[in-house]
Coordinates of all heavy atoms in Angstrom, one line a residue:
M1 N 0.8 -1.2 0.0 CA 0.0 0.0 0.0 C 0.9 1.2 0.0 O 2.0 1.3 0.7 CB -0.9 0.0 1.3 CG -2.0 1.0 1.3 SD -1.4 2.7 1.9 CE -1.3 2.3 3.6
I2 N 0.6 2.1 -0.9 CA 1.3 3.4 -1.0 C 0.6 4.5 -0.1 O -0.6 4.7 -0.3 CB 1.5 3.9 -2.4 CG1 2.4 2.7 -3.2 CG2 2.2 5.3 -2.5 CD1 2.5 3.1 -4.7
A3 N 1.3 5.1 0.7 CA 0.8 6.2 1.6 C 1.1 7.6 0.8 O 2.2 7.8 0.5 CB 1.4 6.2 2.9
I4 N 0.0 8.2 0.5 CA 0.1 9.5 -0.2 C -0.2 10.6 0.8 O -1.3 10.8 1.3 CB -0.8 9.6 -1.4 CG1 -0.6 8.4 -2.4 CG2 -0.7 11.0 -2.1 CD1 -1.7 8.4 -3.4
C5 N 0.8 11.3 1.3 CA 0.8 12.2 2.4 C 0.7 13.6 1.7 O 1.5 13.9 0.9 CB 1.9 12.0 3.4 SG 2.1 10.3 4.1
I6 N -0.2 14.4 2.4 CA -0.3 15.8 1.9 C 0.5 16.7 2.8 O 0.1 16.9 4.0 CB -1.8 16.2 1.9 CG1 -2.7 15.2 1.1 CG2 -2.0 17.6 1.2 CD1 -2.3 15.0 -0.3
G7 N 1.6 17.3 2.3 CA 2.3 18.3 3.1 C 1.6 19.3 3.6 O 0.4 19.8 3.1
H8 N 2.1 19.8 4.7 CA 1.3 21.0 5.3 C 0.0 20.7 5.9 O -1.0 21.5 5.8 CB 1.2 22.2 4.5 CG 2.7 22.6 4.1 ND1 3.5 23.3 4.7 CD2 3.4 22.2 2.9 CE1 4.7 23.4 4.1 NE2 4.6 22.7 2.9
S9 N -0.3 19.5 6.3 CA -1.6 19.0 6.8 C -1.7 19.0 8.4 O -2.4 18.3 8.9 CB -2.0 17.6 6.2 OG -2.2 17.8 4.9
R10 N -0.9 19.8 9.0 CA -1.0 20.1 10.4 C -1.8 21.4 10.7 O -1.6 22.3 9.9 CB 0.3 20.0 11.1 CG 1.2 21.2 10.8 CD 2.5 21.1 11.5 NE 3.4 22.2 11.1 CZ 3.8 23.2 11.9 NH1 3.4 23.3 13.1 NH2 4.5 24.2 11.5
K11 N -2.5 21.4 11.7 CA -3.2 22.6 12.0 C -2.4 23.5 12.9 O -1.7 23.1 13.8 CB -4.6 22.3 12.7 CG -5.6 21.8 11.7 CD -7.0 21.7 12.2 CE -8.0 21.4 11.0 NZ -9.3 21.3 11.5
I12 N -2.5 24.9 12.6 CA -1.9 25.9 13.4 C -3.0 26.9 13.8 O -3.6 27.4 12.8 CB -0.7 26.6 12.7 CG1 0.4 25.5 12.3 CG2 -0.2 27.7 13.5 CD1 1.4 26.1 11.4
S13 N -3.2 27.1 15.0 CA -4.3 28.0 15.5 C -5.6 27.6 14.8 O -6.4 28.5 14.4 CB -4.0 29.4 15.2 OG -2.8 29.8 15.9
G14 N -5.9 26.3 14.7 CA -7.3 25.8 14.2 C -7.4 25.8 12.6 O -8.4 25.4 12.1
R15 N -6.3 26.2 12.0 CA -6.3 26.2 10.4 C -5.2 25.3 9.9 O -4.1 25.3 10.5 CB -6.2 27.6 9.9 CG -7.5 28.4 10.2 CD -7.3 29.8 9.8 NE -7.0 29.8 8.4 CZ -6.6 30.9 7.6 NH1 -6.2 32.0 8.3 NH2 -6.4 30.8 6.3
Y16 N -5.4 24.7 8.7 CA -4.3 23.9 8.2 C -3.2 24.9 7.8 O -3.4 26.0 7.3 CB -4.7 23.1 7.0 CG -5.5 21.8 7.4 CD1 -6.8 21.7 7.2 CD2 -4.9 20.8 8.0 CE1 -7.5 20.7 7.5 CE2 -5.5 19.7 8.4 CZ -6.9 19.6 8.1 OH -7.6 18.5 8.5
D17 N -1.9 24.5 8.0 CA -0.8 25.2 7.7 C -0.9 25.6 6.2 O -0.7 26.9 5.9 CB 0.4 24.3 8.0 CG 1.7 24.6 7.3 OD1 1.7 25.5 6.4 OD2 2.7 23.9 7.5
G18 N -1.2 24.7 5.3 CA -1.5 25.1 3.9 C -0.2 25.3 3.1 O -0.3 25.0 1.8
G19 N 0.8 25.6 3.5 CA 2.1 25.7 2.8 C 2.2 26.8 1.9 O 1.6 27.9 2.2
A20 N 2.9 26.8 0.8 CA 3.0 27.8 -0.2 C 1.7 28.2 -0.8 O 0.8 27.4 -0.8 CB 4.1 27.4 -1.2
Y21 N 1.6 29.4 -1.4 CA 0.4 29.8 -2.1 C 0.8 30.2 -3.5 O 1.7 31.1 -3.7 CB -0.3 30.9 -1.4 CG -1.6 31.4 -2.0 CD1 -2.7 30.6 -1.8 CD2 -1.6 32.3 -2.9 CE1 -3.9 31.0 -2.4 CE2 -2.8 32.8 -3.5 CZ -4.0 32.0 -3.3 OH -5.2 32.3 -3.8
S22 N 0.0 29.6 -4.6 CA 0.4 30.1 -6.0 C -0.5 31.2 -6.2 O -1.7 31.1 -6.4 CB 0.1 28.9 -6.8 OG 0.2 29.3 -8.2
E23 N 0.1 32.4 -6.5 CA -0.7 33.5 -7.0 C -1.2 33.3 -8.4 O -2.3 33.7 -8.7 CB 0.3 34.8 -6.9 CG 0.6 35.3 -5.5 CD -0.7 35.8 -4.7 OE1 -1.7 36.1 -5.4 OE2 -0.7 35.8 -3.7
Y24 N -0.4 32.4 -9.1 CA -0.8 32.2 -10.5 C -2.0 31.3 -10.6 O -3.0 31.6 -11.3 CB 0.4 31.5 -11.3 CG 0.1 31.1 -12.6 CD1 0.0 32.1 -13.6 CD2 -0.2 29.8 -13.0 CE1 -0.3 31.7 -14.9 CE2 -0.4 29.4 -14.3 CZ -0.5 30.4 -15.3 OH -0.7 30.1 -16.6
L25 N -2.1 30.2 -9.7 CA -3.2 29.3 -9.7 C -4.2 29.6 -8.8 O -5.3 29.1 -8.6 CB -2.7 27.9 -9.4 CG -1.6 27.2 -10.4 CD1 -1.1 26.0 -9.9 CD2 -2.4 27.0 -11.8
K26 N -3.9 30.5 -7.8 CA -4.9 31.0 -6.7 C -5.2 29.8 -5.9 O -6.4 29.6 -5.6 CB -6.1 31.7 -7.3 CG -5.8 32.9 -8.2 CD -5.1 34.0 -7.4 CE -4.9 35.2 -8.3 NZ -3.9 36.1 -7.8
I27 N -4.2 29.1 -5.4 CA -4.6 27.9 -4.5 C -3.3 27.6 -3.7 O -2.1 27.9 -4.0 CB -4.9 26.7 -5.5 CG1 -5.4 25.5 -4.6 CG2 -3.7 26.2 -6.2 CD1 -6.0 24.3 -5.4
S28 N -3.6 27.2 -2.5 CA -2.5 26.7 -1.5 C -1.9 25.5 -1.9 O -2.5 24.7 -2.7 CB -3.1 26.6 -0.1 OG -3.8 25.5 0.1
E29 N -0.7 25.3 -1.5 CA 0.0 24.0 -1.8 C -0.8 22.8 -1.3 O -1.0 21.9 -2.0 CB 1.3 24.1 -1.0 CG 2.2 22.9 -1.1 CD 3.5 23.1 -0.3 OE1 3.9 24.3 0.1 OE2 4.4 22.2 -0.1
R30 N -1.3 22.9 -0.1 CA -2.1 21.7 0.5 C -3.3 21.5 -0.4 O -3.6 20.4 -0.8 CB -2.5 22.0 1.9 CG -3.3 20.8 2.5 CD -3.6 21.0 4.0 NE -4.3 19.9 4.5 CZ -5.5 19.6 4.4 NH1 -6.3 20.5 3.9 NH2 -6.0 18.5 4.9
D31 N -4.1 22.5 -0.8 CA -5.4 22.3 -1.5 C -5.0 21.7 -2.9 O -5.7 20.9 -3.4 CB -6.2 23.6 -1.6 CG -6.8 24.0 -0.4 OD1 -6.9 23.1 0.6 OD2 -7.2 25.1 -0.2
F32 N -3.9 22.3 -3.5 CA -3.6 21.8 -4.8 C -3.1 20.3 -4.8 O -3.5 19.5 -5.6 CB -2.3 22.6 -5.3 CG -1.8 22.1 -6.7 CD1 -2.3 22.6 -7.8 CD2 -0.7 21.3 -6.8 CE1 -1.9 22.3 -9.0 CE2 -0.2 20.9 -8.0 CZ -0.8 21.4 -9.2
N33 N -2.4 20.0 -3.7 CA -1.8 18.6 -3.6 C -3.0 17.6 -3.2 O -2.9 16.4 -3.5 CB -0.7 18.4 -2.7 CG 0.6 19.1 -3.3 OD1 0.7 18.9 -4.6 ND2 1.5 19.7 -2.6
L34 N -4.1 18.1 -2.6 CA -5.2 17.2 -2.4 C -5.8 16.8 -3.7 O -6.2 15.6 -3.8 CB -6.2 18.0 -1.5 CG -6.0 18.0 0.0 CD1 -7.0 19.1 0.6 CD2 -6.1 16.7 0.6
K35 N -5.8 17.7 -4.6 CA -6.3 17.3 -6.0 C -5.4 16.4 -6.7 O -5.8 15.4 -7.3 CB -6.5 18.6 -6.9 CG -7.6 19.5 -6.3 CD -7.7 20.7 -7.2 CE -8.8 21.6 -6.7 NZ -9.1 22.9 -7.6
V36 N -4.1 16.6 -6.6 CA -3.1 15.8 -7.2 C -3.1 14.3 -6.5 O -3.2 13.4 -7.2 CB -1.7 16.2 -6.9 CG1 -0.5 15.3 -7.4 CG2 -1.5 17.6 -7.7
A37 N -3.3 14.3 -5.2 CA -3.4 13.0 -4.5 C -4.5 12.2 -4.9 O -4.5 11.0 -5.0 CB -3.4 13.3 -3.0
T38 N -5.7 12.8 -5.1 CA -6.9 12.2 -5.5 C -6.8 11.6 -6.9 O -7.1 10.4 -7.1 CB -8.1 13.1 -5.5 OG1 -8.3 13.6 -4.2 CG2 -9.3 12.5 -6.0
K39 N -6.1 12.3 -7.9 CA -5.9 11.7 -9.2 C -4.8 10.7 -9.1 O -4.9 9.7 -9.8 CB -5.4 12.9 -10.1 CG -6.6 13.9 -10.4 CD -6.2 14.9 -11.4 CE -7.4 15.8 -11.7 NZ -7.3 16.3 -13.0
L40 N -3.8 10.8 -8.3 CA -2.7 9.8 -8.3 C -3.3 8.6 -7.7 O -3.1 7.5 -8.1 CB -1.7 10.4 -7.4 CG -0.5 9.2 -7.0 CD1 0.1 8.8 -8.3 CD2 0.5 10.0 -6.1
S41 N -4.1 8.6 -6.6 CA -4.7 7.5 -5.9 C -5.6 6.7 -6.9 O -5.6 5.5 -7.1 CB -5.6 7.8 -4.8 OG -6.1 6.8 -4.0
A42 N -6.4 7.5 -7.8 CA -7.3 6.9 -8.7 C -6.5 6.2 -9.8 O -6.8 5.1 -10.2 CB -8.2 7.9 -9.4
E43 N -5.4 6.8 -10.2 CA -4.5 6.1 -11.2 C -3.9 4.8 -10.6 O -3.8 3.8 -11.4 CB -3.5 7.1 -11.7 CG -2.6 6.6 -12.8 CD -3.3 6.3 -14.1 OE1 -4.4 6.8 -14.2 OE2 -2.7 5.5 -14.9
L44 N -3.5 4.9 -9.4 CA -2.9 3.7 -8.8 C -3.9 2.6 -8.7 O -3.6 1.4 -8.9 CB -2.3 4.0 -7.4 CG -1.0 4.9 -7.4 CD1 -0.8 5.4 -6.0 CD2 0.1 4.1 -8.0
T45 N -5.1 3.0 -8.2 CA -6.2 2.0 -8.2 C -6.4 1.4 -9.5 O -6.6 0.1 -9.6 CB -7.6 2.6 -7.6 OG1 -7.3 3.2 -6.4 CG2 -8.6 1.7 -7.6
R46 N -6.5 2.2 -10.6 CA -6.6 1.7 -11.9 C -5.6 0.6 -12.3 O -5.8 -0.3 -13.1 CB -6.7 2.9 -13.0 CG -7.2 2.5 -14.3 CD -7.2 3.7 -15.3 NE -5.9 4.2 -15.6 CZ -5.0 3.5 -16.5 NH1 -5.4 2.5 -17.1 NH2 -3.8 3.9 -16.7
K47 N -4.4 0.8 -11.7 CA -3.2 -0.1 -12.0 C -3.2 -1.3 -11.1 O -2.3 -2.0 -11.0 CB -2.0 0.6 -12.1 CG -1.8 1.7 -13.2 CD -0.5 2.4 -13.1 CE -0.3 3.3 -14.3 NZ 0.0 2.7 -15.6
G48 N -4.2 -1.2 -10.1 CA -4.3 -2.4 -9.1 C -3.3 -2.2 -8.0 O -3.0 -3.2 -7.3
I49 N -2.9 -1.0 -7.7 CA -2.0 -0.7 -6.6 C -2.8 0.0 -5.6 O -3.2 1.1 -5.7 CB -0.8 0.2 -7.1 CG1 -0.1 -0.6 -8.3 CG2 0.1 0.6 -5.9 CD1 1.0 0.3 -9.0
P50 N -2.8 -0.5 -4.4 CA -3.6 0.1 -3.3 C -2.8 1.3 -2.7 O -1.6 1.3 -2.7 CB -3.7 -0.9 -2.2 CG -2.7 -1.9 -2.5 CD -2.3 -1.9 -4.0
S51 N -3.6 2.3 -2.4 CA -3.1 3.5 -1.8 C -4.0 4.1 -0.8 O -5.2 3.8 -0.8 CB -2.7 4.6 -2.9 OG -3.9 5.1 -3.5
K52 N -3.5 5.0 0.0 CA -4.3 5.7 1.0 C -3.8 7.1 1.0 O -2.5 7.3 1.1 CB -4.3 5.0 2.3 CG -5.2 5.7 3.4 CD -5.2 4.9 4.7 CE -6.0 5.7 5.7 NZ -6.1 5.0 7.0
I53 N -4.7 8.1 1.1 CA -4.3 9.5 1.3 C -4.4 9.9 2.7 O -5.3 9.6 3.3 CB -5.3 10.5 0.5 CG1 -5.2 10.0 -1.0 CG2 -5.1 11.9 0.7 CD1 -6.2 10.8 -1.9
F54 N -3.3 10.5 3.2 CA -3.2 11.0 4.6 C -3.2 12.6 4.5 O -2.2 13.1 4.0 CB -1.9 10.5 5.2 CG -2.0 9.0 5.4 CD1 -1.6 8.2 4.4 CD2 -2.4 8.5 6.6 CE1 -1.5 6.8 4.5 CE2 -2.5 7.0 6.8 CZ -2.0 6.3 5.8
D55 N -4.4 13.2 4.9 CA -4.5 14.6 4.9 C -4.7 15.3 6.2 O -5.2 16.5 6.2 CB -5.6 14.9 3.8 CG -6.9 14.4 4.4 OD1 -7.0 13.8 5.4 OD2 -7.9 14.7 3.6
H56 N -4.3 14.7 7.3 CA -4.5 15.4 8.6 C -3.4 14.7 9.4 O -3.3 13.6 9.7 CB -5.8 15.1 9.2 CG -5.9 15.8 10.5 ND1 -6.0 17.2 10.7 CD2 -5.8 15.2 11.8 CE1 -6.1 17.5 12.0 NE2 -5.9 16.3 12.7
Y57 N -2.6 15.7 9.9 CA -1.4 15.4 10.9 C -1.8 16.0 12.2 O -1.9 17.2 12.3 CB -0.1 16.0 10.4 CG 0.4 15.5 9.0 CD1 1.5 16.0 8.5 CD2 -0.3 14.7 8.2 CE1 2.1 15.8 7.3 CE2 0.2 14.3 6.8 CZ 1.4 14.9 6.5 OH 1.8 14.6 5.2
A58 N -2.0 15.2 13.3 CA -2.3 15.7 14.5 C -1.0 16.1 15.1 O 0.1 15.8 14.7 CB -3.0 14.6 15.4
G59 N -1.1 16.8 16.3 CA 0.0 17.2 17.1 C 0.3 18.7 17.0 O -0.1 19.4 16.1
N60 N 0.8 19.1 18.1 CA 1.1 20.6 18.3 C 2.5 20.8 18.0 O 3.4 20.4 18.6 CB 0.7 20.9 19.8 CG 0.1 22.4 19.9 OD1 0.1 23.1 18.9 ND2 -0.3 22.7 21.0
G61 N 2.8 21.4 16.8 CA 4.2 21.7 16.4 C 4.7 20.7 15.3 O 4.2 19.6 15.2
Y62 N 5.7 21.2 14.6 CA 6.1 20.4 13.4 C 6.6 19.0 13.8 O 6.2 18.0 13.2 CB 7.3 21.1 12.8 CG 7.9 20.5 11.5 CD1 7.2 20.5 10.3 CD2 9.0 19.8 11.6 CE1 7.6 19.9 9.2 CE2 9.6 19.2 10.6 CZ 8.9 19.2 9.3 OH 9.4 18.5 8.3
G63 N 7.5 19.0 14.9 CA 8.0 17.6 15.3 C 6.9 16.6 15.6 O 7.0 15.5 15.2
Y64 N 5.9 17.1 16.4 CA 4.9 16.2 16.8 C 4.0 15.8 15.6 O 3.6 14.7 15.4 CB 3.9 16.9 17.9 CG 4.6 17.0 19.2 CD1 5.0 18.2 19.7 CD2 4.9 15.9 20.0 CE1 5.7 18.4 20.9 CE2 5.5 16.0 21.2 CZ 5.9 17.3 21.6 OH 6.5 17.4 22.9
A65 N 3.8 16.7 14.7 CA 3.0 16.4 13.5 C 3.7 15.3 12.7 O 3.1 14.4 12.1 CB 2.8 17.6 12.7
M66 N 5.1 15.5 12.5 CA 5.8 14.4 11.8 C 5.8 13.1 12.5 O 5.7 12.0 11.8 CB 7.3 15.0 11.6 CG 7.4 16.1 10.7 SD 6.8 16.0 9.1 CE 5.3 16.7 9.1
A67 N 5.9 13.1 13.8 CA 5.8 11.8 14.5 C 4.4 11.2 14.3 O 4.3 10.0 14.2 CB 6.1 12.1 16.0
D68 N 3.4 12.0 14.2 CA 2.0 11.6 14.1 C 1.9 11.0 12.7 O 1.3 9.8 12.6 CB 1.0 12.7 14.2 CG -0.5 12.2 13.9 OD1 -0.9 11.3 14.7 OD2 -1.0 12.6 12.9
I69 N 2.3 11.6 11.6 CA 2.1 11.0 10.3 C 2.9 9.7 10.2 O 2.5 8.8 9.5 CB 2.4 12.1 9.2 CG1 2.0 11.4 7.8 CG2 3.8 12.5 9.2 CD1 0.5 11.1 7.7
A70 N 4.1 9.8 10.8 CA 5.0 8.5 10.7 C 4.2 7.4 11.4 O 4.2 6.2 10.8 CB 6.3 8.7 11.4
E71 N 3.6 7.6 12.5 CA 2.8 6.6 13.2 C 1.6 6.1 12.4 O 1.3 4.9 12.2 CB 2.3 7.1 14.6 CG 1.7 6.0 15.4 CD 2.7 4.9 15.8 OE1 3.9 5.2 15.9 OE2 2.1 3.8 15.9
Q72 N 0.9 7.1 11.7 CA -0.2 6.8 10.9 C 0.2 5.8 9.7 O -0.5 4.9 9.4 CB -0.9 8.0 10.2 CG -1.6 8.9 11.3 CD -2.4 10.0 10.5 OE1 -3.3 9.8 9.7 NE2 -2.0 11.3 10.8
V73 N 1.3 6.2 9.1 CA 1.8 5.4 7.9 C 2.2 4.1 8.4 O 1.9 3.0 7.8 CB 3.0 6.1 7.3 CG1 3.8 5.3 6.3 CG2 2.5 7.4 6.5
K74 N 2.9 4.0 9.5 CA 3.3 2.7 10.1 C 2.0 1.8 10.4 O 1.9 0.6 10.1 CB 4.1 2.8 11.4 CG 5.6 3.1 11.2 CD 6.2 3.4 12.5 CE 7.5 4.1 12.3 NZ 8.2 4.4 13.6
K75 N 1.0 2.4 11.1 CA -0.2 1.7 11.4 C -0.9 1.1 10.2 O -1.5 0.0 10.2 CB -1.1 2.5 12.2 CG -0.8 2.6 13.6 CD -1.9 3.3 14.4 CE -1.6 3.5 15.9 NZ -2.4 4.4 16.7
A76 N -0.8 1.9 9.1 CA -1.5 1.4 7.9 C -0.7 0.4 7.0 O -1.2 -0.1 6.1 CB -1.7 2.7 7.0
Q77 N 0.5 0.1 7.6 CA 1.4 -0.9 7.0 C 1.7 -0.5 5.6 O 1.8 -1.4 4.7 CB 0.8 -2.3 7.1 CG 0.7 -2.6 8.7 CD 0.2 -4.1 8.8 OE1 -0.7 -4.5 8.1 NE2 0.8 -4.8 9.7
A78 N 2.0 0.7 5.3 CA 2.4 1.2 3.9 C 3.8 0.6 3.7 O 4.6 0.5 4.5 CB 2.4 2.7 3.9
T79 N 4.0 0.3 2.4 CA 5.3 -0.3 1.9 C 6.1 0.9 1.3 O 7.3 0.7 1.2 CB 5.1 -1.4 0.9 OG1 4.2 -0.9 -0.2 CG2 4.4 -2.6 1.6
L80 N 5.4 2.0 1.0 CA 6.1 3.2 0.5 C 5.2 4.4 0.8 O 4.0 4.3 0.9 CB 6.1 3.1 -1.0 CG 6.6 4.3 -1.8 CD1 8.2 4.3 -1.8 CD2 6.3 4.3 -3.2
A81 N 5.9 5.5 1.2 CA 5.2 6.7 1.6 C 5.8 7.9 0.8 O 7.0 8.0 0.6 CB 5.3 7.0 3.0
I82 N 5.0 8.7 0.2 CA 5.4 9.9 -0.5 C 4.7 11.1 0.2 O 3.6 10.9 0.7 CB 5.2 9.9 -2.0 CG1 3.7 9.8 -2.3 CG2 6.0 8.8 -2.6 CD1 3.4 10.0 -3.7
E83 N 5.3 12.2 0.2 CA 4.6 13.4 0.7 C 4.7 14.5 -0.4 O 5.8 14.8 -0.9 CB 5.3 14.0 2.0 CG 4.5 15.2 2.6 CD 5.0 15.5 4.0 OE1 6.2 16.1 4.0 OE2 4.3 15.3 4.9
L84 N 3.6 15.0 -0.8 CA 3.4 16.0 -1.8 C 3.7 17.4 -1.4 O 3.2 17.8 -0.3 CB 2.1 15.9 -2.5 CG 1.7 14.5 -3.0 CD1 0.3 14.5 -3.6 CD2 2.7 14.0 -4.1
H85 N 4.5 18.2 -2.1 CA 4.8 19.5 -1.9 C 4.9 20.3 -3.2 O 5.1 19.7 -4.3 CB 6.2 19.7 -1.2 CG 6.1 19.2 0.2 ND1 5.8 20.1 1.3 CD2 6.4 18.0 0.9 CE1 5.8 19.4 2.4 NE2 6.2 18.2 2.2
F86 N 4.9 21.6 -3.2 CA 5.4 22.5 -4.2 C 5.9 23.7 -3.5 O 5.6 24.0 -2.4 CB 4.4 22.7 -5.3 CG 3.2 23.7 -5.0 CD1 3.4 25.0 -4.7 CD2 1.9 23.3 -5.2 CE1 2.4 25.9 -4.5 CE2 0.9 24.1 -5.0 CZ 1.1 25.4 -4.5
N87 N 6.7 24.4 -4.3 CA 7.3 25.6 -3.7 C 6.7 26.8 -4.5 O 6.2 26.7 -5.6 CB 8.9 25.6 -3.9 CG 9.5 24.5 -3.0 OD1 9.0 24.4 -1.9 ND2 10.5 23.9 -3.4
S88 N 6.9 28.0 -3.9 CA 6.5 29.2 -4.6 C 7.8 30.1 -4.7 O 8.8 29.8 -4.0 CB 5.5 29.9 -3.7 OG 6.0 30.2 -2.5
A89 N 7.7 31.1 -5.5 CA 8.8 32.0 -5.8 C 8.3 33.3 -6.3 O 7.2 33.5 -6.7 CB 9.8 31.4 -6.8
T90 N 9.2 34.3 -6.3 CA 8.8 35.6 -6.8 C 8.9 35.6 -8.3 O 9.6 34.7 -8.8 CB 9.8 36.6 -6.2 OG1 11.1 36.4 -6.7 CG2 9.7 36.8 -4.7
P91 N 8.3 36.5 -8.9 CA 8.4 36.5 -10.4 C 9.8 36.6 -11.0 O 10.1 36.2 -12.1 CB 7.5 37.7 -10.8 CG 6.6 37.8 -9.7 CD 7.3 37.5 -8.5
S92 N 10.7 37.1 -10.2 CA 12.1 37.3 -10.7 C 12.9 36.1 -10.6 O 14.0 36.1 -11.0 CB 12.7 38.5 -9.9 OG 12.8 38.2 -8.5
A93 N 12.4 35.0 -10.1 CA 13.1 33.8 -9.9 C 13.5 33.2 -11.2 O 12.7 33.3 -12.2 CB 12.3 32.8 -9.0
T94 N 14.6 32.5 -11.2 CA 15.0 31.8 -12.5 C 15.6 30.5 -12.0 O 15.7 30.1 -10.9 CB 16.3 32.6 -13.1 OG1 17.2 32.7 -12.3 CG2 15.8 34.0 -13.7
G95 N 15.6 29.6 -13.0 CA 16.2 28.3 -12.7 C 15.1 27.3 -12.4 O 13.9 27.6 -12.6
H96 N 15.5 26.2 -11.8 CA 14.5 25.2 -11.4 C 14.9 24.5 -10.1 O 16.2 24.6 -9.8 CB 14.2 24.2 -12.4 CG 15.4 23.4 -12.9 ND1 16.4 23.9 -13.7 CD2 15.8 22.2 -12.5 CE1 17.4 22.9 -13.8 NE2 17.0 21.9 -13.1
E97 N 14.1 23.7 -9.5 CA 14.5 22.9 -8.4 C 14.0 21.5 -8.5 O 13.0 21.2 -9.1 CB 13.8 23.5 -7.1 CG 14.1 22.8 -5.8 CD 13.5 23.5 -4.7 OE1 12.3 23.5 -4.5 OE2 14.4 24.2 -4.0
Ligands
ZN101 ZN1 5.7 22.2 1.1

């Protein structure tokens, strides 16, 4: 089973962290990656590969949230885990990452 984890899925002051924000797409990193994860999971299912989306990390603070998602992935007995992210930049940025 492949664990598809959505980055920035911990809550800070009652709201999801959300990550970077694309001014071009008008969407947060987390919301964008929820859509990517849904499509990826459907494609994996089509290929007969089980997957599960993890879109909530409990815990207060980054370290606790990382420990929580690690525990969730272990409990689900995932054989592979990926975490989806994207970065943002100013219009003057050049190059790639
Ligand atoms: Zn990120």
Side-chain angles (χ1 to χ4, degrees):
M1 188 277 286
I2 297 178
I4 305 169
C5 307
I6 311 297
H8 306 280
S9 288
R10 70 182 173 113
K11 286 192 170 177
I12 301 173
S13 300
R15 296 178 53 198
Y16 283 109
D17 160 357
Y21 184 82
S22 171
E23 289 295 337
Y24 180 73
L25 298 173
K26 305 293 183 200
I27 192 168
S28 75
E29 179 178 347
R30 182 175 182 276
D31 289 345
F32 179 85
N33 284 325
L34 281 168
K35 294 179 181 187
V36 172
T38 300
K39 291 186 178 206
L40 174 59
S41 181
E43 184 64 18
L44 289 169
T45 298
R46 196 179 66 76
K47 293 180 180 286
I49 302 168
S51 65
K52 181 177 177 182
I53 297 170
F54 293 85
D55 63 354
H56 178 75
Y57 305 177
N60 218 351
Y62 180 79
Y64 289 109
M66 293 301 101
D68 177 69
I69 189 58
E71 189 62 31
Q72 288 187 61
V73 167
K74 283 180 193 170
K75 278 185 181 171
Q77 299 184 315
T79 54
L80 174 78
I82 61 172
E83 185 171 69
L84 302 176
H85 287 271
F86 75 61
N87 290 328
S88 64
T90 63
S92 62
T94 60
H96 66 279
E97 182 174 74

